[in-house]
């Protein structure tokens, strides 16, 4: 089936002669693909449990499961009775198969004059084992929660792997999140240990991190802090609590027997935004998560042994968990981790990295692509991108212009674009085209992955007609990697995902439509969740942050489309009596947002107003504010308690519709 790992320069996609904007895999790509026959969909649909079991058979289990799937309302289990370890499946099994000398991880630091760090599978296994021993010496045991607040350095992957090797539970917090965000998460999960770094490089500057972590720790249950030395900046170390990473692993054995985990044991918690101000701790298991992440990495990106996989997400997001760390490593390929930003030292950095390491799979977000479109195609043109085979996107619907630019200027009109729809909750991709099957259509994600049952329903849960818009839901057997709960809040879990349609339909909160072939186009969130530069954010989180400013009485935040970031928050702020609006106050409010959430949540505009539209019961009508900032028809105002405020608001935002 597979002749060679890379086919540089070969035409991998061909345009559809009849349908404009449709593309299909070429014969050359089909020969090379794991899946090249659309029959896989029908076969998997006939028996999804058998399909997933075949995928699971490709991993190493220390004990075979007794039942592949079972469910009862709000509780579904995969590979019941099976035992495995995620780190064993990522590392040991490749070494055992004689592939210890293969490259596992390539790290590219931001400063261009600093050398890359490269780990073979053997070396990565040794380092992970040393750190697992160090964590054990610090008291970490199976089931304990370990916080990870690290920049994009190899130790981020090593730390995650070491934690799951012990059978402990990691919770990774994005390094650009504020101390307060970190504290909330550490408190919620009751973390015992935190792994962080002194600092890191961003656009040539050293960014301190340890001081941020210190601020977050007061009042938490964290007993020990492990600090990776990265930037070499001066940092305070607290005696008895803080240890350097390099000192903790010194003299530790390179052998650490992986903990045998039950398929349904918790492997990690990742916090994400819901519609309230408080992020939710999404819980992922071991077996089902491993299987779906393994199978989707392999089939979505057509991964073969010699691939160099470069996913540009941060490890703090689910994409980093599944497609920088576990997915590529379970597939035995090389995963590339880049520390910095795409504009350091110039706008060609990503393309320079691809050329330097002969990257074959590049996986990024539409917001990043739109940024590159702005910077211009002369930047990728300076670099040899002929090693690329497959391109991926994730995080939000990709607009046509960005798709075509990506297709032409990065993929050389040669590579398929795999638009993967999924969520923190699903743990792994669920809707996408497969490289060897197609079709690849701009703005259309693709078909549900084999074995996944997705459909589009109306508000009553009834399937809509082909082509009509509706809500995207999933039916049992639920995808193996689907979240099993929200940490410490089973009520919220039920209400959030099964509240609308009951326990037999998982509600994604996305609007979508489906064509006759089953291709799904995602139209966006239908709840109060924004997607800002690929970062998920609730309007309520930004409102809560702003409301904490001492001069603010009330806030309403809505999202507004943005050419590059997809969406941005816009805030309407009511000030306390006698307080005068000013530019300085705006700056101060932005600072408040930085402090409580982080810079990603900064409002693009702040309007000081006397009032915001409200219903008679006092609920803010965000729908009207949304229409105002988008220049869309405002609609009916008769249910408002204060319709007179709308005119002032129109002036304030420069409403033109
Ligand atoms: C929401 C989930 C999954 C990793 C990144 C985001 C939107 C995600 C796509 C896509 C259109 C997409 C959805 C989803 N989304 N991928 N390919 N096309 N929309 O994870 O932060 O949990 O956000 O991102 O609205 O519900 P997340």
């Amino acid at each position: 089936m597979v002749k060679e790992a890379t086919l540089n320069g070969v035409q991998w996609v061909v345009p559809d002669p009849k349908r404009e904007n449709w593309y299909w895999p070429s014969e050359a790509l089909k020969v090379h693909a794991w899946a090249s026959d659309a029959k896989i969909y029908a076969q998997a649909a006939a028996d999804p449990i058998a399909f997933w079991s075949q995928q699971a058979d490709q991993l190493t289990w220390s004990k075979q499961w007794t039942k592949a799937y079972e469910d009862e309302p709000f509780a579904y289990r995969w590979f019941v009775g099976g035992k495995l370890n995620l780190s064993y499946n990522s590392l040991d099994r490749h070494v055992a198969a004689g592939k210890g000398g293969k490259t596992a991880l390539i790290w590219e630091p931001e400063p261009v004059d600093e050398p890359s760090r490269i780990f073979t599978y053997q070396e990565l296994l040794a380092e992970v084992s040393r750190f697992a021993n160090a964590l054990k010496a610090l008291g970490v045991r199976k089931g304990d929660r370990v916080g990870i607040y690290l920049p994009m350095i190899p130790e981020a992957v090593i730390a995650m792997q070491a934690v799951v090797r012990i059978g402990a539970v990691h919770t990774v917090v994005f390094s650009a999140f504020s101390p307060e965000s970190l504290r909330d998460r550490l408190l919620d999960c009751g973390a015992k240990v935190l792994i962080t770094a002194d600092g890191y490089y961003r656009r040539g500057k050293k960014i301190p991190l340890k001081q941020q972590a210190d601020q977050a720790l007061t009042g938490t249950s964290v007993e020990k802090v492990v600090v990776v030395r990265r930037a070499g900046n001066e940092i305070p170390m607290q005696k008895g609590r803080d240890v350097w990473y390099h000192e903790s692993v010194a003299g530790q054995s390179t052998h650490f027997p992986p903990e045998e985990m039950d398929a349904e044991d918790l492997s990690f918690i990742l916090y994400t935004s819901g519609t309230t101000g408080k992020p939710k701790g999404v819980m992922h298991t071991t077996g089902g998560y491993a299987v779906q992440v393994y199978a989707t990495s392999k089939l979505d990106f057509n991964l073969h042994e010699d691939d160099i996989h470069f996913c540009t997400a941060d490890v703090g997001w689910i994409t980093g968990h599944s497609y920088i760390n576990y997915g590529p490593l379970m597939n035995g390929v090389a995963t590339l981790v880049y520390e910095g930003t795409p504009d350091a030292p110039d706008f060609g950095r990503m393309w320079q990295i691809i050329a330097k390491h002969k990257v074959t799979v590049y996986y990024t977000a539409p917001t990043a692509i739109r940024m590159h479109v702005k910077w211009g195609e002369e930047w990728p043109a300076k670099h040899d991108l002929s090693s690329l085979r497959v391109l991926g996107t994730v995080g939000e619907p990709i607009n046509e212009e960005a798709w075509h630019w990506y297709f032409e200027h990065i993929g050389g009109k040669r590579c398929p674009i795999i638009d993967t729809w999924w969520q923190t909750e699903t743990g792994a991709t669920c809707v996408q085209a497969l490289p060897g099957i197609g079709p690849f259509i701009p703005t259309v994600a693709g078909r549900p992955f084999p074995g996944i049952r997705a459909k589009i329903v109306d508000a009553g849960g009834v399937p809509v007609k082909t082509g009509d818009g509706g809500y995207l839901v999933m039916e049992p057997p639920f995808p193996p990697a689907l979240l099993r709960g929200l940490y410490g809040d089973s009520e919220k879990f039920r209400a959030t995902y099964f509240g609308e349609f009951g326990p037999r339909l998982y509600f994604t909160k996305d609007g979508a439509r489906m064509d006759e072939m089953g291709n799904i186009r995602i139209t966006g969130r239908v709840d109060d969740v924004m997607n800002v530069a690929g970062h998920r954010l609730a309007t309520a989180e930004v409102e809560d942050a702003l409301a904490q400013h001492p001069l603010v009485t009330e806030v309403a935040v809505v999202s507004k489309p943005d050419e590059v970031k997809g969406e941005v928050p816009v805030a309407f702020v009511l000030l306390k009596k006698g307080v005068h609006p000013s530019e300085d106050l705006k700056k101060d409010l932005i600072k408040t947002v930085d402090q409580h959430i982080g810079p990603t949540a900064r409002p693009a505009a702040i309007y000081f107003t006397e009032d915001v539209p409200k219903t008679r019961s006092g609920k803010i009508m965000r729908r009207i504010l949304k229409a105002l900032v988008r220049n869309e028809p405002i609609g009916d105002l008769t249910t408002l308690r204060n319709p007179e405020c709308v005119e002032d608001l129109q002036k304030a935002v420069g409403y033109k519709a």
Side-chain angles (χ1 to χ4, degrees), residues 272-273 317-319 363 366 393-398 419-426 428 431 445 508-510 522-525 529 531 534-537:
T272 187
S273 298
W317 312 113
I318 190 70
T319 311
Y363 189 27
T393 81
V394 58
E396 54 179 313
I398 180 164
D419 177 353
T420 59
W421 175 90
W422 57 300
Q423 312 175 297
T424 304
E425 289 87 344
T426 69
V431 177
T508 64
K509 312 273 159 144
D510 274 307
I522 307 289
T523 49
R525 297 286 295 203
V529 167
N531 209 320
H535 298 163
R536 180 160 153 185
L537 191 67

Side-chain angles (χ1 to χ4, degrees), residues 138-182:
L138 290 172
V140 177
R141 298 288 178 269
K142 180 177 179 178
D144 285 345
R145 272 80 60 215
V146 176
I148 298 180
Y149 188 53
L150 283 174
M152 293 291 284
I153 54 177
E155 287 76 8
V157 171
I158 292 165
M160 290 161 87
Q161 288 283 344
V163 169
V164 298
R165 197 167 179 86
I166 300 176
V169 174
H170 57 67
T171 194
V172 184
V173 179
F174 182 36
S175 54
F177 272 164
S178 66
E180 190 175 313
S181 301
L182 174 61

Side-chain angles (χ1 to χ4, degrees), residues 503-575:
R504 305 293 292 171
L505 286 183
Y506 167 86
F507 184 21
T508 64
K509 312 273 159 144
D510 274 307
R513 52 183 89 242
M514 192 189 272
D515 70 11
E516 327 56 66
M517 196 189 276
N519 295 304
I520 296 175
R521 173 197 217 123
I522 307 289
T523 49
R525 297 286 295 203
V526 296
D527 57 4
D528 282 325
V529 167
M530 294 174 271
N531 209 320
V532 182
H535 298 163
R536 180 160 153 185
L537 191 67
T539 51
E541 278 176 275
V542 187
E543 288 176 359
D544 285 7
L546 288 168
Q548 292 184 50
H549 191 282
L551 302 180
V552 167
T553 52
E554 192 164 14
V555 204
V557 170
V558 294
S559 71
K560 180 184 156 170
D562 181 87
E563 214 182 295
V564 172
K565 294 183 175 173
E567 281 181 290
V568 287
V570 172
F572 294 85
V573 174
L574 279 65
L575 295 171

